[in-house]
Amino acid sequence: MALLGSILKRTIEIGGKLPKIRKADAYRQQKKTLKHLLFKAEFTAFGEHYNFTRILGSNDFVQSFQQTVPTHDYNSIFKKWWYRALNGEPFVCWPDHIKYFALSSGTSEASSKHIPVTKDMLKAIKKTSILQILSQYHYNLPKEHFERGMLMIGGSTHLNYNGTYFEGDLSGITAGNIPFWFQHFYKPGSRISKERDWTTKLDEITLNAKNWDISTICGVPAWIQILFERIIKHYNVNNIHDIWPNLAIYVHGGVHFSPYKKGFEKLLGKPIIYLETYLASEGFIAYQNRPDSTGMKLVLNNGIFYEFVPFNENNFDDDGNMKSQVEMLHIGQVQEDTEYALFLSTCSGAWRYMIGDTIKFTSLEHYEIAITGRTKHFLSLCGEHLSQDNMNSAIKNVSDELNIDIKEFSVAGINHESLFAHRWYIGTDEKADPALLKEKIDEHLKILNDDYRVERIAALKDIFVEVLPVSVFYDWMRQKGKEGGQNKFPRVLKKEKLKDWENYLIQNNFGK
């Protein structure tokens, strides 16, 4: 396959030199995308209900679309529309019979969500995946890099069939639809990828690891780290590069990588390139494509129309619920360093759909974004407005300062002495002093967040820290059927999930 590697290298070089999108083109591309979506779905049940024909004929179809079509969260669009597609009805929100439904990781709800994945969405994901590969031109990699294997750790490609549709992780759905020319490079291969039991899959990958020449690995940080540790232990080597000496790129997504980086790099023998990607169950939204940037390039012209609501007290209540009258912006109206809740209209039949993530633009010159958290995964018991971005930064800083590997963490807001407190659950297998962790976390959060600093003087009376073995977090996920694939531990625990987690700790003798 040396010839194919050379062809890929040359293609990437050409692709990297393609003309860049001018700043003025962003809104034009988004308008074109929305127009295509409206035209394609014009005669679906959704399109007829909201009269897409009239919207398309208006002078300002973007404004008409926003004034006519209501915003949705998962529950509202599923109960009114998507359930019909789940029951086998075609042409509900998209002109297609929906063959696949992606099961979300369920971090913001009690159970998994069924997200439709259409043929057009699979094509869009493939197209953006190729664009991400082409972006490797900027990293000056040798052609041999593209002749080696790419290990993709995700959900099983053996999907559940429910009479009218298949369901599973998006990673399993997309892996089962990869291009034929990619089969040679794709690891762990079709047989192991079908395995549904996560432990068995890791065992199979470990046993085959020494036979593969891996240059790139993709997956959620926690599970990749577990795999590396397992391989290193099995072969009794010092680091993962003793098995895969040509490993050069790690493509990660799903959660912030910064809290994992310190522990991750202990498993490496040399530096590698980290590339962040934003591939959600609802679509491929953004990817990192420049070596000198930590932001991800927003995909503007591939089946997704974006809207943005400033994530502030004017538009959202203290529980992360959107208010009835909000400020809704398009790509031509956003600003840098402002936190937005993200809404999507897609070629899978999501319409003005609140995905649940919050983002900010790190560069409007390149239309690059960073994920800052979840609309439901923040704490504001008394006005502290503690974001997931704050939490990740604090844990990273504490991990670096104390030189300990914190692999998982979560935080809950609790009542305390007639006022409030935060309870942190820290997952590490290293010796850690809870009192010192408490002091350092509190110290860093006061620097990162002025509202938090003020409330620590007033209503936020204390913080508590419980140090737990990392296995406690993963065993709880396993018990919930959320092990492996795209699943991740929730960074904020609220209501029923908090009760369930506390009961689990007590039952396993880790309770307070």
Side-chain angles (χ1 to χ4, degrees), residues 38-169:
L38 292 170
F39 179 79
K40 190 76 180 282
E42 184 176 5
F43 300 112
T44 62
F46 191 96
E48 291 180 344
H49 182 82
Y50 291 106
N51 203 345
F52 281 9
T53 302
R54 181 188 60 79
I55 293 174
L56 285 165
S58 61
N59 291 329
D60 186 344
F61 66 87
V62 174
Q63 185 181 64
S64 179
F65 171 70
Q66 292 179 321
Q67 291 175 345
T68 304
V69 179
T71 58
H72 298 93
D73 59 14
Y74 174 77
N75 289 330
S76 63
I77 199 168
F78 183 85
K79 289 178 180 177
K80 190 170 183 179
W81 299 102
W82 285 354
Y83 83 92
R84 293 163 58 178
L86 200 69
N87 290 331
E89 181 181 343
F91 279 70
V92 178
C93 289
W94 196 250
D96 199 356
H97 165 258
I98 310 300
K99 183 179 179 181
Y100 300 107
F101 281 83
L103 298 178
S104 79
S105 58
T107 55
S108 60
E109 298 290 341
S111 59
S112 292
K113 305 173 185 177
H114 286 77
I115 310 296
V117 182
T118 63
K119 296 174 185 176
D120 288 312
M121 179 55 75
L122 287 172
K123 289 178 183 177
I125 290 173
K126 288 179 184 178
K127 179 180 176 182
T128 303
S129 298
I130 291 171
L131 290 173
Q132 185 178 38
I133 292 174
L134 292 179
S135 72
Q136 293 183 19
Y137 161 80
H138 300 291
Y139 295 87
N140 195 31
L141 296 161
K143 68 179 180 65
E144 290 80 13
H145 171 83
F146 304 99
E147 298 166 6
R148 300 181 173 115
M150 177 182 290
L151 179 61
M152 301 169 67
I153 307 297
S156 172
T157 58
H158 188 185
L159 307 174
N160 296 319
Y161 182 63
N162 285 277
T164 61
Y165 64 91
F166 292 90
E167 66 177 20
D169 280 355

Side-chain angles (χ1 to χ4, degrees), residues 172-234:
I173 294 171
T174 54
N177 287 272
I178 61 175
F180 75 92
W181 56 267
F182 190 67
Q183 296 287 346
H184 170 77
F185 305 98
Y186 171 61
K187 305 298 179 187
S190 60
R191 182 185 65 81
I192 297 176
S193 295
K194 290 180 180 178
E195 179 57 56
R196 290 177 174 173
D197 182 76
W198 181 245
T199 301
T200 302
K201 178 179 284 189
L202 290 183
D203 288 341
E204 290 273 10
I205 293 172
T206 300
L207 291 173
N208 284 275
K210 66 180 185 304
N211 301 321
W212 300 333
D213 186 6
I214 301 296
S215 66
T216 304
I217 192 163
C218 311
V220 174
W223 308 125
I224 297 299
Q225 192 166 340
I226 288 172
L227 174 64
F228 281 5
E229 291 171 347
R230 186 174 293 226
I231 292 173
I232 291 168
K233 180 179 180 180
H234 179 82

Side-chain angles (χ1 to χ4, degrees), residues 228-356:
F228 281 5
E229 291 171 347
R230 186 174 293 226
I231 292 173
I232 291 168
K233 180 179 180 180
H234 179 82
Y235 292 102
N236 193 27
V237 294
N238 294 320
N239 56 69
I240 198 64
H241 278 109
D242 288 339
I243 300 297
W244 295 326
N246 296 309
L247 178 62
I249 291 180
Y250 172 42
V251 182
H252 60 89
V255 293
H256 278 268
F257 181 59
S258 55
Y260 296 94
K261 189 172 182 180
K262 186 176 187 65
F264 193 90
E265 291 186 339
K266 290 179 180 180
L267 306 175
L268 304 176
K270 55 187 175 183
I272 63 174
I273 297 167
Y274 299 100
L275 298 179
E276 188 173 7
T277 187
Y278 189 1
L279 175 55
S281 297
E282 292 83 358
F284 205 149
I285 295 169
Y287 60 93
Q288 189 174 347
N289 76 330
R290 295 192 301 134
D292 56 346
S293 173
T294 56
M296 295 177 286
K297 179 181 177 63
L298 194 66
V299 180
L300 297 172
N301 59 350
N302 192 23
I304 303 177
F305 177 76
Y306 305 97
E307 293 175 90
F308 311 88
V309 174
F311 190 61
N312 55 38
E313 60 188 10
N314 295 327
N315 297 318
F316 290 85
D317 65 22
D318 288 343
D319 290 324
N321 300 307
M322 191 172 71
K323 297 179 180 179
S324 57
Q325 298 295 323
V326 299
E327 181 185 10
M328 185 74 74
L329 308 176
H330 57 63
I331 192 68
Q333 300 169 314
V334 296
Q335 298 178 344
E336 289 184 5
D337 296 322
T338 297
E339 196 168 22
Y340 297 104
L342 185 61
F343 286 71
L344 311 177
S345 296
T346 77
C347 57
S348 268
W351 296 103
R352 308 197 74 203
Y353 175 83
M354 184 167 64
I355 191 173

